[in-house]
Amino acid sequence: MSTLTCCGWAFLAVSACATAVPLDSARVASERIKRLTLIAAILGSAVAVLDSTIVGVALPTIQRSLGGGLAGQQWISSAYLLTLGSLILLGGSLGDIFGERRVFALGVGAFGLASLLCAVAPTIGLLIAARALQGVAGALLTPSSLAVIAATFPDEERGAAIGTWTAFGAIAAVVGPLVGGELLALASWRWLFLINLPVVASCLTLILAVVPRSPSSQLSARRVDLPGALLCASGLAGVVFGLIEAPRLGWSDPEIIVSLPGGALLFGGFVLRERLTRDPMLPLAIFRRGNFAATNMETFAVYAALAVFTFFLILYLQQVAGYSPLHSGLAMVPMTIIMFAFSRRVGRLSTRFGPRFFMSSGPLLAGAGLLGGLRIGASPDYFSDLLPAVVVFALGLALTVAPLTTTVLAGVESAGAGIASAVNNAVARVAGLLATAGIGAIVAAHFGTSLHARLRSVVLGHAARATIAAAQRLVLGRPSVSGLPSAQGHAIVRAADAASLSSFHLALVIAAALLALGAMIGLVGIRNPQAAEQPAEPRPR
């Protein structure tokens, strides 16, 4: 199964990249290097993105195998996103200092080793620790994968190349649940991590064989900002710990009282250090360049919404609607098809006409799709209730993602591509991390309040109250009522279904509001480059 999947990825990457750049007989070798470099970048970034979503479909299965409840499910996702998001700036600066090719290869190899550790983890705690190590490796490879594209392709070809790279990144994000569901139908959840190994081996081979080395003249003379990396990681860890554990421990628990403001202070210390140090991990002046600040603000809103939608949709379909892991993955296939079909074309159009229209209309369309998901009930019909929402959401996402990524790198010299890519990737990952944790806390609180309100008039025994407590730890689930009196069991199941549906709808509304905010940022904050506003001259053939 893993071999077939990897061959499929390689075939798709090769076929897409074959038309990424028109071939010229006098430049065959150069164009071959470009295509193979693009394939390496796609494979490297895709395996990192895939692992941020493929695990989502297996969270209920892993929870049944290793335990941990909702907090354990959140930490399996958040441990990866936490180290990835907090260290990705360091990864970008390391690429600028030591060369993108070297850091890219190191990150890909380390990701394979961490994936193996995830696959053999015997406890929930060790799995979470191995996921954190995966995030460290992802922080090295993700910005470098985009930076090697920026360094390899000239300006006139970069938009189409980034569009292709973006398309496969988005496809990896939405195909993850499908691959995960297929693997869970055939084998253990541990294969979700073992499947990375052949992809990693293929990517490493391409990196070492074809990716150009960075000229020494283009390497940055900055020093590695380890204190800044420590402050950033510690600050985010404190905030995320507080948001995830607060529903379980209570907002007045000393650990929560210390971790939330402590994390915020540490992150503030990170920003202050980056402002004052001579060799910052995050040069704050980069935010004053062109559309960079507005693009990253929109990135935060869009990727926060994407994380909320995919995380809670998978949990809802499996734990409430009764979908199998495979069927919940199949539900996302239209997103894969749409992103593959349109992202590269949209990337080219945004280069020609400017990104503003796409970055303002795309999030609005995606938000409309999420609001259409409010039709989803406890037993949804896929074609009438879920499919329209998924299709509209995917169309909006396809309009947004490629122009967003191209705009981030617009006007960036090769020497700064690593940090520019790292900033945008960090914003995207941190958005998903904070959204899953923060909105997860809101959804958990709403679920508990709604569940108790619906059972207020029901007389419950001690066993029934214990069942309700267990349901609150899981959230978005149908509790086991075996052994309870029939009347109490039926009342608890009905109340849990209704509370789950209400909580899921709340998550969709919040995600749609985030997308509306992203559209507003795109409309007000993005400016089309002057060159993009001129009619494009026909390219000689």
Side-chain angles (χ1 to χ4, degrees):
M1 173 60 213
S2 60
T3 303
L4 289 176
T5 304
C6 297
C7 290
W9 269 105
F11 172 77
L12 286 174
V14 172
S15 62
C17 296
T19 56
V21 186
L23 288 180
D24 187 298
S25 58
R27 297 162 53 200
V28 171
S30 174
E31 300 302 338
R32 176 178 176 273
I33 289 175
K34 290 178 186 177
R35 291 198 309 275
L36 293 178
T37 297
L38 182 55
I39 293 172
I42 287 171
L43 290 175
S45 63
V47 76
V49 173
L50 186 71
D51 248 49
S52 68
T53 61
I54 193 174
V55 176
V57 75
L59 290 178
T61 303
I62 296 174
Q63 195 278 143
R64 289 191 295 270
S65 174
L66 302 179
L70 178 66
Q73 291 174 321
Q74 287 178 299
W75 274 118
I76 291 170
S77 295
S78 296
Y80 177 77
L81 293 174
L82 176 61
T83 51
L84 176 61
S86 59
L87 297 177
I88 202 168
L89 293 175
L90 179 62
S93 64
L94 289 175
D96 290 339
I97 294 171
F98 298 108
E100 290 86 1
R101 178 181 182 270
R102 181 180 301 171
V103 175
F104 190 20
L106 176 63
V108 171
F111 197 91
L113 178 60
S115 298
L116 181 60
L117 294 176
C118 288
V120 299
T123 66
I124 188 71
L126 290 176
L127 175 59
I128 291 171
R131 286 283 285 167
L133 292 176
Q134 271 192 316
V136 174
L140 297 177
L141 73 88
T142 301
S144 300
S145 69
L146 183 56
V148 296
I149 295 177
T152 304
F153 287 84
D155 290 344
E156 65 272 14
E157 299 174 0
R158 190 182 293 178
I162 290 177
T164 303
W165 179 87
T166 301
F168 277 95
I171 288 168
V174 297
V175 82
L178 173 61
V179 175
E182 186 177 357
L183 283 175
L184 289 173
L186 299 174
S188 165
W189 58 266
R190 299 181 186 276
W191 280 93
L192 272 65
F193 302 104
L194 292 174
I195 194 177
N196 294 335
L197 301 184
V199 182
V200 164
S202 301
C203 185
L204 268 178
T205 301
L206 283 174
I207 293 172
L208 299 177
V210 301
V211 173
R213 298 177 184 270
S214 301
S216 57
S217 60
Q218 293 185 3
L219 298 182
S220 171
R222 299 197 315 267
R223 293 179 299 178
V224 179
D225 185 18
L226 291 178
L230 182 61
L231 284 170
C232 181
S234 301
L236 286 174
V239 173
V240 171
F241 175 86
L243 292 174
I244 288 179
E245 296 295 332
R248 182 177 66 89
L249 299 176
W251 292 96
S252 60
D253 186 271
E255 293 185 46
I256 306 303
I257 293 175
V258 170
S259 64
L260 283 174
L265 286 173
L266 287 171
F267 193 79
F270 161 70
V271 175
L272 180 62
R273 174 180 171 79
E274 300 309 285
R275 182 179 179 182
L276 299 178
T277 188
R278 189 183 70 177
D279 295 311
M281 182 174 72
L282 173 60
L284 298 179
I286 197 173
F287 288 95
R288 295 196 294 267
R289 188 186 61 228
N291 291 322
F292 193 81
T295 301
N296 281 286
M297 292 170 62
E298 181 166 352
T299 296
F300 189 94
V302 169
Y303 278 85
L306 175 62
V308 169
F309 176 57
T310 54
F311 181 81
F312 286 105
L313 178 64
I314 293 297
L315 292 186
Y316 184 82
L317 290 179
Q318 289 191 42
Q319 296 180 175
V320 179
Y323 280 43
S324 68
L326 177 58
H327 287 159
S328 64
L330 286 170
M332 310 297 282
V333 167
M335 290 182 64
T336 305
I337 297 172
I338 290 170
M339 293 298 298
F340 182 79
F342 291 104
S343 288
R344 184 167 173 268
R345 297 179 183 179
V346 171
R348 280 182 168 175
L349 289 173
S350 69
T351 300
R352 180 178 180 183
F353 297 109
R356 189 180 184 214
F357 168 78
F358 301 95
M359 292 174 63
S360 56
S361 61
L364 277 183
L365 185 61
L370 293 189
L371 293 180
L374 296 177
R375 298 181 55 185
I376 297 174
S379 300
D381 178 79
Y382 176 73
F383 290 100
S384 63
D385 297 333
L386 183 57
L387 180 60
V390 169
V391 167
V392 175
F393 176 77
L395 287 170
L397 204 63
L399 287 176
T400 306
V401 175
L404 187 150
T405 307
T406 305
T407 304
V408 164
L409 291 180
V412 178
E413 301 83 4
S414 296
I419 192 62
S421 168
V423 170
N424 191 245
N425 275 283
V427 169
R429 308 305 178 232
V430 170
L433 172 69
L434 295 180
T436 302
I439 297 174
I442 295 172
V443 169
H446 179 82
F447 177 84
T449 300
S450 177
L451 182 62
H452 283 290
R454 296 173 192 278
L455 292 172
R456 187 174 295 124
S457 60
V458 180
V459 178
L460 300 172
H462 176 74
R465 287 193 293 270
T467 298
I468 294 171
Q472 283 186 264
R473 288 193 296 271
L474 183 61
V475 181
L476 297 188
R478 184 168 292 165
S480 173
V481 294
S482 58
L484 296 181
S486 179
Q488 293 183 22
H490 287 312
I492 291 174
V493 168
R494 286 196 302 270
D497 282 351
S500 294
L501 180 61
S502 176
S503 301
F504 174 61
H505 285 173
L506 175 64
L508 291 182
V509 170
I510 295 174
L514 287 169
L515 287 167
L517 175 62
M520 183 61 65
I521 294 170
L523 181 63
V524 175
I526 299 298
R527 293 289 178 267
N528 287 333
Q530 290 298 316
E533 294 174 352
Q534 304 301 323
E537 296 182 2
R539 187 179 290 181
R541 298 185 180 275

